[in-house]
Amino acid sequence: MPSTGYIFLAVGVALAITFLLRALPFILKNAIKDSPLLLALNSWMPLGIMVILVVYCLSMIDPADSRLAGAQVIATLVTVAVHLWKHNLFLSVLAGTGTCVALANGLLPALL
Amino acid sequence: MPLSLLRAVRETGMVWLSMFVLGIGLGVMVTSSGLPWWVAPLLSGGVYAGSVEFLLVGLLVASAPLSAIAMTTLLVNSRHLFYGLSFPLHRVRGMSKLYSVFALTDEAYALAAPRDPRRLSHGWILWTQLGLQLSWMSGSLSGAIVGATLLQNVKGLDFILTALFIALAMDAYRHRPDRVTLVSAAVFGIIAALLAGDSMLVLAMSAFTAFMLLRHQWNKRRTQPVEQPDA
């Protein structure tokens, strides 16, 4: 097991890098304020980054564990459907995760 | 109770709750991998950057060199380079800006960036960020202490992260229905996942950003009238 000193040092390194990454655009932004480029990126980046994070999560599905993978695919469809229906973030997350946990642990009759 | 806190709870409280539940997942992972319980609040309170914390648990257990920890954090969190461009930090006053930058997570960005900055107050932004972090920290602490015994064998809990990003992406699309962004981000994501696997985030986000820069250049050329010297 790692030593306490090592854990604190490692967390410190991760903290410093994360903070710098978060602070950098604000420092650079003053140099490029009101640029048309910034306005364009403003309107495109939020959707693009969320879509890439979704692809990232879905690409982590491991087909070797077929019951878990099947549960994740069905839960993805459930999440999309519930979100289209109610537009309620928490409800969608709850329905999706609930479906995934229930199917992956065999709490629902085996559909897979 | 300040009005801005009430508004923050009403508009973002559901995400606080998701952060709490997701935090339980992190806490369970920390203690079930053999690390001491206090590593959970240390990661969730100190690093405070969702996905990299899950990766750090594995790296800490393996006593990975600090250079590997630095590189992993840099690559996975480099997406944060883009968040500052459209986060309404100008609405936060004084030294609180430092906390606001520290706590600029995926969720804080997704909740604040799509809203009209003129309608966001100093208090709303800070309460939202503090609520997200306290939920995440208390979730991870509960997970580390209680969940290690109760939830250790429950599979599929990490789908919370997937469901959260799906719903946030759908909200972002509803806010700005832009098919070029949707399709190009998905295509770059899929290509990067095929090429780079686990470390696809950096590749996909750089490629997508480069494409958006090109798109901006192209739009600019198209909308600017071409000079016609003979006309």
Side-chain angles (χ1 to χ4, degrees), chain B residues 134-149:
Chain B
L134 291 179
S135 311
W136 176 243
M137 285 182 72
S138 52
S140 75
L141 193 57
S142 320
I145 293 170
V146 183
T149 47

Side-chain angles (χ1 to χ4, degrees), chain A residues 34-103:
Chain A
D34 299 324
S35 80
L37 173 66
L38 188 66
L39 290 174
L41 287 180
N42 246 349
S43 65
W44 297 331
M45 298 308 284
L47 172 63
I49 286 178
M50 287 307 144
V51 169
I52 289 171
L53 287 170
V54 171
V55 175
Y56 167 71
C57 287
L58 295 181
S59 74
M60 294 292 123
I61 294 177
D62 178 11
D65 187 343
S66 63
R67 189 163 79 171
L68 181 59
Q72 286 165 321
V73 170
I74 292 174
T76 299
L77 299 175
V78 169
T79 308
V80 171
V82 171
H83 204 63
L84 281 175
W85 177 37
K86 287 286 183 187
H87 300 305
N88 180 325
L89 185 70
F90 182 66
L91 192 68
S92 311
V93 170
L94 194 70
T97 310
T99 306
C100 189
V101 169
L103 291 175

Side-chain angles (χ1 to χ4, degrees), chain B residues 43-74:
Chain B
L43 281 175
S44 55
V47 181
Y48 192 38
S51 47
V52 87
E53 290 169 48
F54 286 92
L55 296 172
L56 281 175
V57 172
L59 290 171
L60 289 178
V61 170
S63 296
L66 290 178
S67 58
I69 287 179
M71 194 47 94
T72 306
T73 310
L74 187 67

Side-chain angles (χ1 to χ4, degrees), chain A residues 1-26 28-29 32 35-61 65 67-68 71-77 79-98 100-102 104-105, chain B residues 14-15 17-18 33-36 38-39 42-43 46-49 56 59-61 63-64 66 69-70 73-74 77-87 89 98 101-106 109-110 153-157 159-174 176 178 181-182 185-186 189-190 193 197-198 200-201 204-205 208-209 212-213 215-216 219:
Chain A
M1 265 303 116
S3 72
T4 304
Y6 163 81
I7 292 176
F8 273 92
L9 208 55
V11 167
V13 167
L15 190 163
I17 291 176
T18 305
F19 185 79
L20 282 177
L21 285 169
R22 285 173 178 167
L24 206 58
F26 294 108
L28 296 178
K29 197 166 140 181
I32 47 171
S35 80
L37 173 66
L38 188 66
L39 290 174
L41 287 180
N42 246 349
S43 65
W44 297 331
M45 298 308 284
L47 172 63
I49 286 178
M50 287 307 144
V51 169
I52 289 171
L53 287 170
V54 171
V55 175
Y56 167 71
C57 287
L58 295 181
S59 74
M60 294 292 123
I61 294 177
D65 187 343
R67 189 163 79 171
L68 181 59
Q72 286 165 321
V73 170
I74 292 174
T76 299
L77 299 175
T79 308
V80 171
V82 171
H83 204 63
L84 281 175
W85 177 37
K86 287 286 183 187
H87 300 305
N88 180 325
L89 185 70
F90 182 66
L91 192 68
S92 311
V93 170
L94 194 70
T97 310
C100 189
V101 169
N105 298 282
Chain B
M14 290 172 307
V15 187
L17 204 54
S18 337
S33 62
L35 291 169
W38 49 263
V39 172
L42 185 68
L43 281 175
V47 181
Y48 192 38
L56 281 175
L59 290 171
L60 289 178
V61 170
S63 296
L66 290 178
I69 287 179
T73 310
L74 187 67
N77 280 350
S78 56
R79 66 181 185 283
H80 289 281
L81 275 174
F82 309 119
Y83 291 172
L85 293 180
S86 46
F87 185 80
L89 187 69
L98 277 180
V101 171
F102 164 75
L104 213 177
T105 56
D106 298 315
Y109 174 76
N153 298 315
V154 176
K155 291 165 91 182
L157 264 180
F159 190 80
I160 294 172
L161 196 64
T162 312
L164 189 64
F165 290 141
I166 289 174
L168 290 174
M170 289 173 73
D171 285 344
Y173 184 79
R174 205 149 42 92
R176 279 182 205 275
D178 176 2
T181 300
L182 176 70
I190 291 165
D198 285 11
M200 61 81 79
L201 279 179
M205 287 181 181
F208 171 73
T209 309
M212 289 298 110
L213 292 174
R215 181 187 181 188
H216 175 68
N219 280 355

